[in-house]
Amino acid sequence: MELLENLRKSVDRKISLCNIEDLEKYKIIKELLKEDDCFFCMKKDTAYALLEDLDFLKKEVPHLYEQLTSSDVYLQTKCSFEIER
């Protein structure tokens, strides 16, 4: 999931550049993004807040959330193997 990988990189950049007051917040976000299915496991409002903390515009967040919780994308990533017949 390319989008999720980009979010992880963004958090790492935020951690390296942020002030001490925001450091804990970004460490928590980094922890939340560790698992590939993390957006399926969190509440929608939490996901929206997380995306806004990563500086996405409010109008972009619903579309990003939809992409991150797309079962097609997730299954392609997790089940990229051929079924034997």
Side-chain angles (χ1 to χ4, degrees), residues 37-80:
D37 62 350
C38 59
F39 281 92
F40 291 94
C41 300
M42 68 177 79
K43 292 181 179 182
K44 188 176 183 177
D45 57 335
T46 302
Y48 274 44
L50 184 149
L51 292 169
E52 289 176 16
D53 282 339
L54 295 178
D55 297 329
F56 289 98
L57 299 175
K58 283 190 180 225
K59 66 180 183 179
E60 296 174 324
V61 170
H63 178 69
L64 290 169
Y65 179 77
E66 186 178 304
Q67 288 179 321
L68 290 162
T69 57
S70 164
S71 58
D72 292 337
V73 172
Y74 182 72
L75 290 174
Q76 284 176 349
T77 304
K78 289 297 191 185
C79 301
S80 58

Side-chain angles (χ1 to χ4, degrees), residues 4 6 8 11 14 16-17 24-27 31-33 35 46 50 52 55 60-61 68 71 73 75 78 80:
L4 185 55
N6 289 337
R8 290 172 178 150
V11 171
K14 291 274 191 192
S16 68
L17 298 172
E24 192 61 33
K25 172 176 67 172
Y26 291 118
K27 284 183 177 181
E31 187 67 29
L32 289 171
L33 296 179
E35 299 298 322
T46 302
L50 184 149
E52 289 176 16
D55 297 329
E60 296 174 324
V61 170
L68 290 162
S71 58
V73 172
L75 290 174
K78 289 297 191 185
S80 58

